[in-house]
Amino acid sequence: METERLLNERAVLREQADRISQRLTLIDDALRALGHGSHAVGPWKVQVQTNRRLDTAALASQFPAESNPHLYKAALDTEAIKQHLAPAVLDAYYRDGAPRVVVK
């Protein structure tokens, strides 16, 4: 059966992809040891970059919305929308994404 052959091939490829992903992670970990900045290594240029983000939970704790409304923006609450609008009304606002494949 063609579908079973595809599923077997998919399983083999997924296993290979997992091994490749694990190996890439190990290689990247080793390259991080070069330290931040640019490094010329043979024909390659390796950049180890900082991954710096704001701690929004800490900021929200220190600067609450009640006393700092200028630091916040309003957002649509989709859960409230679902509770207050009929499903027939909401149907017009749903958009389908690409179909997903789940194999178990």
Side-chain angles (χ1 to χ4, degrees):
M1 166 186 267
E2 175 67 11
T3 302
E4 186 175 351
R5 187 189 65 74
L6 288 173
L7 287 168
N8 287 333
E9 181 181 359
R10 186 182 189 282
V12 169
L13 291 172
R14 174 60 56 202
E15 184 179 314
Q16 290 174 354
D18 290 343
R19 281 198 310 269
I20 290 169
S21 178
Q22 290 171 4
R23 182 63 183 145
L24 284 169
T25 297
L26 291 173
I27 290 170
D28 288 349
D29 288 345
L31 293 174
R32 280 186 199 89
L34 294 171
H36 288 89
S38 294
H39 309 276
V41 181
W44 305 96
K45 180 180 177 183
V46 179
Q47 291 183 335
V48 180
Q49 301 174 339
T50 302
N51 187 12
R52 189 173 174 204
R53 288 181 279 235
L54 288 173
D55 182 346
T56 54
L59 283 165
S61 173
Q62 186 69 34
F63 302 97
E66 297 78 24
S67 55
N68 298 281
H70 59 286
L71 299 178
Y72 292 81
K73 58 183 174 183
L76 188 62
D77 184 347
T78 56
E79 289 305 314
I81 291 286
K82 290 175 185 177
Q83 290 176 3
H84 289 85
L85 297 178
V89 173
L90 287 178
D91 279 344
Y93 295 95
Y94 278 103
R95 302 293 177 263
D96 291 331
R100 293 183 302 153
V101 174
V102 178
V103 177
K104 294 183 179 186

Short mmCIF file of all heavy atoms in Angstrom, two decimals, residues 10-40:
data_model
loop_
_atom_site.label_atom_id
_atom_site.label_comp_id
_atom_site.label_asym_id
_atom_site.label_seq_id
_atom_site.Cartn_x
_atom_site.Cartn_y
_atom_site.Cartn_z
N ARG A 10 8.53 8.25 6.03
CA ARG A 10 8.44 9.43 6.91
C ARG A 10 9.07 9.14 8.25
O ARG A 10 9.79 9.97 8.82
CB ARG A 10 6.97 9.82 7.08
CG ARG A 10 6.76 11.10 7.86
CD ARG A 10 5.26 11.38 8.02
NE ARG A 10 5.02 12.69 8.56
CZ ARG A 10 5.15 13.01 9.84
NH1 ARG A 10 5.55 12.10 10.72
NH2 ARG A 10 4.90 14.25 10.26
N ALA A 11 8.82 7.95 8.80
CA ALA A 11 9.39 7.57 10.10
C ALA A 11 10.91 7.53 10.03
O ALA A 11 11.59 8.01 10.94
CB ALA A 11 8.83 6.23 10.55
N VAL A 12 11.45 6.98 8.95
CA VAL A 12 12.91 6.92 8.78
C VAL A 12 13.49 8.32 8.66
O VAL A 12 14.49 8.65 9.30
CB VAL A 12 13.27 6.05 7.54
CG1 VAL A 12 14.74 6.20 7.19
CG2 VAL A 12 12.93 4.59 7.79
N LEU A 13 12.86 9.16 7.86
CA LEU A 13 13.34 10.53 7.69
C LEU A 13 13.24 11.33 8.98
O LEU A 13 14.14 12.12 9.31
CB LEU A 13 12.56 11.23 6.57
CG LEU A 13 12.82 10.70 5.16
CD1 LEU A 13 11.86 11.33 4.17
CD2 LEU A 13 14.26 10.93 4.76
N ARG A 14 12.17 11.14 9.75
CA ARG A 14 12.01 11.84 11.03
C ARG A 14 13.13 11.44 11.98
O ARG A 14 13.70 12.27 12.68
CB ARG A 14 10.64 11.51 11.62
CG ARG A 14 10.39 12.05 13.02
CD ARG A 14 10.47 13.54 13.16
NE ARG A 14 9.56 14.20 12.26
CZ ARG A 14 9.70 15.46 11.86
NH1 ARG A 14 10.70 16.19 12.31
NH2 ARG A 14 8.84 16.00 11.04
N GLU A 15 13.47 10.15 12.01
CA GLU A 15 14.56 9.66 12.86
C GLU A 15 15.89 10.29 12.44
O GLU A 15 16.67 10.74 13.28
CB GLU A 15 14.64 8.14 12.78
CG GLU A 15 15.69 7.54 13.71
CD GLU A 15 15.72 6.03 13.60
OE1 GLU A 15 14.66 5.40 13.61
OE2 GLU A 15 16.84 5.49 13.50
N GLN A 16 16.13 10.35 11.14
CA GLN A 16 17.37 10.97 10.64
C GLN A 16 17.38 12.46 10.98
O GLN A 16 18.40 13.00 11.40
CB GLN A 16 17.48 10.78 9.13
CG GLN A 16 17.76 9.36 8.71
CD GLN A 16 17.72 9.18 7.19
OE1 GLN A 16 17.37 10.09 6.45
NE2 GLN A 16 18.07 7.98 6.75
N ALA A 17 16.24 13.12 10.82
CA ALA A 17 16.16 14.55 11.13
C ALA A 17 16.42 14.81 12.60
O ALA A 17 17.10 15.79 12.96
CB ALA A 17 14.78 15.09 10.72
N ASP A 18 15.92 13.93 13.47
CA ASP A 18 16.16 14.08 14.91
C ASP A 18 17.65 13.94 15.22
O ASP A 18 18.20 14.72 16.01
CB ASP A 18 15.35 13.06 15.71
CG ASP A 18 13.86 13.35 15.69
OD1 ASP A 18 13.47 14.49 15.37
OD2 ASP A 18 13.08 12.43 16.01
N ARG A 19 18.31 12.95 14.61
CA ARG A 19 19.75 12.78 14.84
C ARG A 19 20.54 13.97 14.32
O ARG A 19 21.46 14.46 14.97
CB ARG A 19 20.24 11.48 14.17
CG ARG A 19 19.92 10.23 14.96
CD ARG A 19 20.77 9.04 14.53
NE ARG A 19 20.79 8.81 13.10
CZ ARG A 19 19.94 8.03 12.43
NH1 ARG A 19 18.99 7.39 13.07
NH2 ARG A 19 20.04 7.88 11.13
N ILE A 20 20.15 14.46 13.15
CA ILE A 20 20.83 15.62 12.57
C ILE A 20 20.63 16.84 13.47
O ILE A 20 21.57 17.59 13.74
CB ILE A 20 20.32 15.89 11.13
CG1 ILE A 20 20.81 14.78 10.20
CG2 ILE A 20 20.76 17.26 10.64
CD1 ILE A 20 20.15 14.78 8.83
N SER A 21 19.42 17.04 13.95
CA SER A 21 19.13 18.18 14.82
C SER A 21 19.95 18.12 16.11
O SER A 21 20.49 19.14 16.56
CB SER A 21 17.64 18.21 15.13
OG SER A 21 17.35 19.27 16.00
N GLN A 22 20.04 16.93 16.69
CA GLN A 22 20.84 16.76 17.92
C GLN A 22 22.32 17.07 17.65
O GLN A 22 22.98 17.73 18.45
CB GLN A 22 20.68 15.35 18.46
CG GLN A 22 19.31 15.07 19.03
CD GLN A 22 19.11 13.60 19.38
OE1 GLN A 22 20.02 12.79 19.25
NE2 GLN A 22 17.90 13.26 19.80
N ARG A 23 22.82 16.60 16.51
CA ARG A 23 24.23 16.84 16.17
C ARG A 23 24.47 18.33 15.93
O ARG A 23 25.48 18.87 16.37
CB ARG A 23 24.62 16.02 14.95
CG ARG A 23 26.07 16.17 14.54
CD ARG A 23 27.03 15.67 15.62
NE ARG A 23 28.41 15.91 15.21
CZ ARG A 23 29.39 16.22 16.02
NH1 ARG A 23 29.17 16.29 17.32
NH2 ARG A 23 30.59 16.46 15.58
N LEU A 24 23.56 18.99 15.24
CA LEU A 24 23.69 20.43 15.02
C LEU A 24 23.71 21.19 16.34
O LEU A 24 24.48 22.15 16.51
CB LEU A 24 22.56 20.95 14.13
CG LEU A 24 22.67 20.62 12.65
CD1 LEU A 24 21.37 20.95 11.92
CD2 LEU A 24 23.84 21.34 12.02
N THR A 25 22.90 20.78 17.29
CA THR A 25 22.89 21.41 18.60
C THR A 25 24.24 21.25 19.29
O THR A 25 24.77 22.22 19.86
CB THR A 25 21.76 20.81 19.47
OG1 THR A 25 20.51 21.09 18.85
CG2 THR A 25 21.77 21.40 20.88
N LEU A 26 24.82 20.06 19.23
CA LEU A 26 26.14 19.83 19.83
C LEU A 26 27.22 20.68 19.16
O LEU A 26 28.08 21.25 19.84
CB LEU A 26 26.52 18.35 19.75
CG LEU A 26 25.71 17.40 20.63
CD1 LEU A 26 26.08 15.94 20.32
CD2 LEU A 26 25.95 17.70 22.10
N ILE A 27 27.15 20.77 17.84
CA ILE A 27 28.13 21.59 17.11
C ILE A 27 27.98 23.06 17.50
O ILE A 27 28.97 23.75 17.77
CB ILE A 27 27.98 21.39 15.59
CG1 ILE A 27 28.44 19.98 15.20
CG2 ILE A 27 28.76 22.45 14.82
CD1 ILE A 27 28.11 19.58 13.78
N ASP A 28 26.74 23.56 17.53
CA ASP A 28 26.51 24.95 17.91
C ASP A 28 26.98 25.22 19.33
O ASP A 28 27.54 26.29 19.62
CB ASP A 28 25.04 25.33 17.75
CG ASP A 28 24.62 25.45 16.28
OD1 ASP A 28 25.51 25.45 15.41
OD2 ASP A 28 23.41 25.54 16.03
N ASP A 29 26.76 24.27 20.24
CA ASP A 29 27.26 24.42 21.62
C ASP A 29 28.77 24.57 21.63
O ASP A 29 29.32 25.41 22.35
CB ASP A 29 26.84 23.23 22.48
CG ASP A 29 25.35 23.23 22.81
OD1 ASP A 29 24.69 24.27 22.61
OD2 ASP A 29 24.86 22.18 23.25
N ALA A 30 29.45 23.76 20.83
CA ALA A 30 30.92 23.84 20.76
C ALA A 30 31.36 25.18 20.16
O ALA A 30 32.34 25.78 20.62
CB ALA A 30 31.47 22.68 19.93
N LEU A 31 30.63 25.67 19.16
CA LEU A 31 31.00 26.94 18.54
C LEU A 31 30.75 28.12 19.47
O LEU A 31 31.47 29.13 19.41
CB LEU A 31 30.24 27.13 17.22
CG LEU A 31 30.62 26.15 16.11
CD1 LEU A 31 29.70 26.32 14.91
CD2 LEU A 31 32.07 26.31 15.71
N ARG A 32 29.76 28.01 20.35
CA ARG A 32 29.52 29.08 21.32
C ARG A 32 30.73 29.28 22.24
O ARG A 32 30.94 30.36 22.78
CB ARG A 32 28.28 28.77 22.15
CG ARG A 32 27.00 29.09 21.47
CD ARG A 32 25.79 28.90 22.40
NE ARG A 32 24.59 28.79 21.60
CZ ARG A 32 24.10 27.64 21.13
NH1 ARG A 32 24.68 26.50 21.41
NH2 ARG A 32 23.02 27.64 20.38
N ALA A 33 31.52 28.23 22.39
CA ALA A 33 32.71 28.31 23.24
C ALA A 33 33.74 29.29 22.67
O ALA A 33 34.65 29.71 23.38
CB ALA A 33 33.34 26.92 23.41
N LEU A 34 33.60 29.66 21.41
CA LEU A 34 34.51 30.65 20.82
C LEU A 34 34.34 32.01 21.48
O LEU A 34 35.24 32.84 21.46
CB LEU A 34 34.25 30.79 19.31
CG LEU A 34 34.58 29.58 18.45
CD1 LEU A 34 34.07 29.80 17.02
CD2 LEU A 34 36.07 29.31 18.46
N GLY A 35 33.18 32.24 22.07
CA GLY A 35 32.90 33.53 22.72
C GLY A 35 32.20 34.48 21.78
O GLY A 35 32.16 34.28 20.56
N HIS A 36 31.61 35.52 22.36
CA HIS A 36 30.87 36.51 21.57
C HIS A 36 31.77 37.20 20.57
O HIS A 36 32.96 37.42 20.82
CB HIS A 36 30.22 37.54 22.49
CG HIS A 36 29.06 36.98 23.25
ND1 HIS A 36 29.21 36.38 24.47
CD2 HIS A 36 27.74 36.90 22.94
CE1 HIS A 36 28.04 35.97 24.89
NE2 HIS A 36 27.13 36.27 23.99
N GLY A 37 31.20 37.53 19.42
CA GLY A 37 31.93 38.26 18.39
C GLY A 37 32.07 37.44 17.12
O GLY A 37 31.48 36.38 16.97
N SER A 38 32.89 37.97 16.20
CA SER A 38 33.14 37.32 14.92
C SER A 38 34.46 36.59 14.96
O SER A 38 35.45 37.10 15.51
CB SER A 38 33.16 38.35 13.79
OG SER A 38 31.89 38.93 13.64
N HIS A 39 34.49 35.40 14.35
CA HIS A 39 35.69 34.58 14.35
C HIS A 39 35.91 34.02 12.95
O HIS A 39 35.01 33.41 12.38
CB HIS A 39 35.55 33.42 15.35
CG HIS A 39 35.12 33.86 16.71
ND1 HIS A 39 36.01 34.33 17.65
CD2 HIS A 39 33.89 33.94 17.28
CE1 HIS A 39 35.34 34.66 18.75
NE2 HIS A 39 34.05 34.43 18.54
N ALA A 40 37.10 34.23 12.40
CA ALA A 40 37.46 33.66 11.10
C ALA A 40 38.04 32.28 11.36
O ALA A 40 39.02 32.12 12.11
CB ALA A 40 38.47 34.54 10.39
#
